[in-house]
Amino acid sequence: MSDEQKRNWEKAERYLRRFRDATLGHFIDGEPRAGLSGEVFENRTPIDGALLGTVAAGDARDIDAAARAAARAFPAWREVDGAERRRLLHRIADAIEARAEEIALVESVDTGQPIRFMKAAAARGAENFRFFADKAPEASNGLSLPAREHVNYTLRQPIGPVGVITPWNTPFMLATWKIAPALAAGCTVVHKPAEWSPLTAALLVEICHEAGLPPGVLNTVHGIGETAGKALTEHEAIKAIAFVGESATGSRIMMQGAPTLKRVHFELGGKNPVIVFDDADLERALDAVVFMIFSLNGERCTSSSRLLVQRSIHDAFVERVVERAKRVRIGHPLDPETELGPLIHPKHLEKVVGYFDIATSEGARIATGGRRVGDVGYYVEPTVFGSASPGMRIAQEEIFGPVLTVIPFDDEEEALRIANGVRYGLTGYVWTSDVGRAHRIARRLEAGMIWVNSENNRHLPTPFGGMKASGIGRDGGDYSFDFYMETKNVCVALGTHRVPTLGSSPR
Ligand code: NAD
């Protein structure tokens, strides 16, 4: 154990003690609350399966209390001046930055994500708050749409209390990505974090209140998706659901929300292609390919999990990817040298390991990896499947681990056919030095976000979201406000048009 890992561990222990000492409850109407049923679930670290504590398993009654609190808080929060909301959200960002170390260490132990990546979690979260804070004063501004005899203008108004349901991959950052624009828009929120990574959501709601957020504006209810999550999607007072998670869960949420006509925004799964042509800058492409599958333990929706390589460079390029994969440092997430930590949960480990067998049975070649590492914690080797064909399950299904499926192609048309031949459409990555080809591919790839000669590089004003089974709607910039707000048109006559008259002619 390096000195720094030891120091990290000691600090993490201090931050985690509170979660071991007492059951983690909900946060409703400005205060911590025990679960009404008294039911709890265990939260364990993926590093070695040790217990981190117990967590209240919220049910429909807890969700009802939170939704009512959010509904009570809404009329006042909606009326808070945009400039005041901006000030408050910046204070939340300051408070997040002040507790950055705690957030990083707790998230790292809770999720197994290497500390080298989690160090940025708080900074990214704070940035999300600052970005939407600055947009708050103008969020309600709409368009001026003048006609000949009428003036039309649009206003945007917060939709009401909303539900935010988040997954276990980068939970802190993703929660802020949803909650910050909702608050900036003037909505109140009930947040249901993922049951496999509940801890930093508890820090977030605490930080928001310490920074001065009024009671009831943000409420957090922990619990299992099929119970607490389901109740949130069905609650009458909740006007919209912002959901990040699996595509199958998205379908269920749509059905659950149908009777109350929920507006939904979905960020779902992906099986994203990275297409490497033989004229690309192969050094940069290599770095990007390796980074986009093995960073964040491969548990990222935007990971490029299908590598499509032009046949002329296929063998040489794949050999270099394999070499790199073999050198990716697996280890304890709190070791600053670690590049790949354990997968989140034994069930997820089982799923990922299952694909090693599927690959072999489908006739693919395991070029490297393909095994679990040790029997303590949920580690797997960085894995590359070679000789894959586009129809195989390993080329179609989201594995959500450090597992890359390589498929060769001959030309542009074939690359596009393979890239688009999946049910998902979140992101696509293209590596080529031919500008015309880059644009042609970008235009025809069925994905919500395309990166040309780049790894995933986020700019907050740009739209984020997927096509096909990867999502509905876009986040980022003004797009977020379109979801969290209603657009209202106001039409005012200039007094010059003829108003139709009825019943004015003599009988
Ligand atoms: P998941 O769908 O299992 O769970 C996500 C959340 O939904 C959890 O909080 C869970 O408790 C809740 N949930 C489960 N069933 C529910 C139900 N019936 N009603 C309401 N809520 C319910 O997803 P996961 O395994 O936690 O996360 C991984 C998935 O998230 C992957 O598919 C990944 O691609 C996706 N993801 C997508 C994006 C994106 O931006 N497109 C970002 C991150 C993760």
Side-chain angles (χ1 to χ4, degrees):
M1 198 189 279
S2 70
D3 286 350
E4 197 166 346
Q5 182 184 336
K6 217 179 291 165
R7 270 198 301 278
N8 281 343
W9 187 241
E10 283 162 10
K11 281 190 219 157
E13 282 285 325
R14 276 204 300 281
Y15 292 129
L16 289 164
R17 195 167 301 142
R18 56 181 280 198
F19 298 115
R20 288 210 180 90
D21 288 350
T23 292
L24 174 60
H26 314 306
F27 201 102
I28 298 173
D29 216 2
E31 57 182 32
R33 296 257 185 102
L36 288 169
S37 70
E39 297 282 317
V40 298
F41 62 91
E42 288 186 341
N43 181 35
R44 293 178 177 276
T45 173
I47 299 170
D48 56 8
L51 191 66
L52 292 176
T54 53
V55 183
D59 63 15
R61 287 184 302 156
D62 302 294
I63 289 289
D64 184 55
R68 283 170 189 272
R72 276 194 305 275
F74 178 62
W77 181 244
R78 175 180 56 190
E79 294 307 322
V80 170
D81 186 57
E84 172 59 15
R85 273 207 294 276
R86 174 174 59 192
R87 198 184 60 79
L88 195 46
L89 297 192
H90 273 295
R91 279 182 54 184
I92 293 175
D94 294 341
I96 289 174
E97 282 165 358
R99 288 174 70 175
E101 179 188 77
E102 177 185 4
I103 293 164
L105 291 168
V106 169
E107 183 122 308
S108 199
V109 176
D110 202 16
T111 63
Q113 288 293 347
I115 191 70
R116 67 161 63 219
F117 300 122
M118 287 308 97
K119 273 188 177 153
R124 286 281 312 274
E127 199 186 327
N128 288 341
F129 269 93
R130 291 199 195 289
F131 177 79
F132 288 108
D134 287 338
K135 294 185 82 66
E138 265 88 53
S140 60
N141 290 357
L143 298 173
S144 163
L145 301 163
R148 207 165 67 84
E149 292 180 300
H150 292 81
V151 172
N152 286 271
Y153 64 92
T154 64
L155 296 171
R156 286 193 304 197
Q157 298 174 331
I159 189 169
V162 298
V164 170
I165 302 179
T166 47
W168 45 260
N169 67 315
T170 57
F172 186 81
M173 199 287 289
L174 279 174
T176 60
W177 176 236
K178 298 282 161 187
I179 291 169
L183 298 181
C187 294
T188 53
V189 176
V190 177
H191 178 207
K192 208 301 281 174
E195 52 269 45
W196 288 354
S197 61
L199 301 188
T200 50
L203 299 183
L204 178 62
V205 69
E206 186 176 287
I207 287 170
C208 288
H209 285 84
E210 280 167 10
L213 197 70
V217 173
L218 172 62
N219 308 275
T220 300
V221 176
H222 296 282
I224 308 302
E226 289 75 9
T227 315
K230 181 168 182 284
L232 182 57
T233 62
E234 291 172 342
H235 201 285
E236 194 80 45
I238 299 294
K239 302 300 170 203
I241 294 286
F243 168 73
V244 186
E246 282 190 20
S247 303
T249 315
S251 299
R252 275 198 291 279
I253 288 178
M254 214 173 214
M255 288 190 270
Q256 293 162 191
T260 50
L261 294 173
K262 288 281 182 296
R263 179 184 288 188
V264 292
H265 185 293
F266 288 164
E267 288 181 11
L268 309 173
K271 188 73 179 177
N272 310 300
V274 50
I275 309 175
V276 182
F277 286 94
D278 59 8
D279 62 355
D281 179 335
L282 295 178
E283 294 305 316
R284 289 171 71 82
L286 178 66
D287 285 340
V289 165
V290 171
F291 180 75
M292 282 310 301
I293 188 64
F294 299 127
S295 59
L296 296 174
N297 298 345
E299 296 166 327
R300 72 192 292 173
C301 55
T302 53
S303 78
S304 51
S305 50
R306 288 184 296 151
L307 169 60
L308 278 46
V309 196
Q310 198 154 25
R311 208 175 292 275
S312 46
I313 54 162
H314 175 274
D315 292 356
F317 190 77
V318 174
E319 195 181 316
R320 296 192 64 196
V321 172
V322 167
E323 251 170 48
R324 285 283 193 89
K326 284 182 175 156
R327 294 214 301 266
V328 168
R329 271 194 230 103
I330 307 173
H332 194 290
L334 294 184
D335 181 347
E337 300 292 312
T338 292
E339 293 171 325
L340 186 67
L343 296 173
I344 183 86
H345 193 271
K347 276 198 188 134
H348 190 53
L349 172 75
E350 199 184 314
K351 170 182 161 176
V352 173
V353 168
Y355 279 97
F356 300 155
D357 294 336
I358 292 170
T360 335
S361 67
E362 285 185 314
R365 184 173 64 86
I366 299 185
T368 185
R371 278 183 311 228
R372 183 178 175 184
V373 180
D375 52 11
V376 177
Y378 317 129
Y379 292 88
V380 293
E381 291 175 338
T383 298
V384 179
F385 297 143
S387 312
S389 55
M392 290 178 176
R393 286 182 61 191
I394 54 165
Q396 291 286 327
E397 297 172 12
E398 184 184 48
I399 300 174
F400 220 55
V403 181
L404 181 65
T405 300
V406 186
I407 309 170
F409 70 85
D410 284 311
D411 56 22
E412 209 171 302
E413 281 305 314
E414 189 184 10
L416 273 165
R417 208 168 39 246
I418 298 169
N420 290 337
V422 294
R423 63 193 284 259
Y424 296 107
L426 189 60
T427 72
Y429 304 84
V430 189
W431 287 85
T432 178
S433 57
D434 179 335
V435 177
R437 172 153 67 192
H439 288 290
R440 286 195 299 277
I441 301 260
R443 197 175 285 185
R444 292 179 62 196
L445 270 179
E446 294 167 359
M449 296 168 283
I450 311 292
W451 279 277
V452 176
N453 296 333
S454 178
E455 80 288 10
N456 163 349
N457 198 288
R458 288 286 296 130
H459 180 49
L460 298 186
T462 62
F464 187 99
M467 294 181 183
K468 294 155 76 175
S470 287
I472 296 177
R474 297 291 179 271
D475 264 333
D478 211 49
Y479 298 92
S480 297
F481 291 138
D482 277 339
F483 176 69
Y484 293 111
M485 302 181 90
E486 294 279 19
T487 298
K488 179 188 280 180
N489 189 64
V490 181
C491 178
V492 184
L494 298 180
T496 55
H497 77 290
R498 196 178 74 78
V499 180
T501 51
L502 292 181
S504 62
S505 48
R507 275 175 163 253

